Amino acid sequence: MRAVLDVVMLALNIYTWLLIISAVLSWLIAFNVVNTRNQFVSSVWDFLYRVTEPVLRPIRNMLPNLGGIDISPIILLLLIFFIERVIERYLYPAVF
């Protein structure tokens, strides 16, 4: 059971980094720092969009319109951090 929890924690950690990279890349694209016509940037952006958008879309649908400010990644990160803490504090000690 401990191995399963370790895999879940690792997956949550990787997804956290993917969310952060996706947010930073979206800012870089919005401010024209990187060009999406570059094939590498386009493929990285497509991968990050496909990985993060299915989870972020329901959060965006529940949020009110904030006028161009997207806080759905922050809400998802807080939810991921909460799940990690629950696993660390309540599920890890119960495994032993």
Side-chain angles (χ1 to χ4, degrees):
M1 183 67 178
R2 174 98 179 183
V4 173
L5 292 176
D6 286 337
V7 169
V8 170
M9 291 292 286
L10 180 64
L12 289 173
N13 194 5
I14 291 171
Y15 201 77
T16 298
W17 282 106
L18 289 175
L19 275 172
I20 292 169
I21 293 168
S22 175
V24 170
L25 186 60
S26 72
W27 294 337
L28 293 175
I29 290 171
F31 293 121
N32 289 325
V33 175
V34 295
N35 190 357
T36 55
R37 292 182 188 159
N38 184 342
Q39 187 176 3
F40 177 73
V41 173
S42 178
S43 63
V44 169
W45 177 245
D46 185 52
F47 168 74
L48 291 173
Y49 182 81
R50 289 175 189 249
V51 169
T52 58
E53 188 62 25
V55 182
L56 291 174
R57 186 176 301 127
I59 296 172
R60 285 188 188 122
N61 289 339
M62 292 187 329
L63 292 175
N65 186 7
L66 298 174
I69 298 173
D70 185 18
I71 61 168
S72 59
I74 296 170
I75 293 173
L76 184 58
L77 284 174
L78 290 174
L79 183 64
I80 288 172
F81 293 153
F82 175 74
I83 292 169
E84 285 177 346
R85 297 309 172 260
V86 166
I87 290 172
E88 287 174 358
R89 293 180 188 242
Y90 299 111
L91 296 179
Y92 268 152
V95 172
F96 290 114

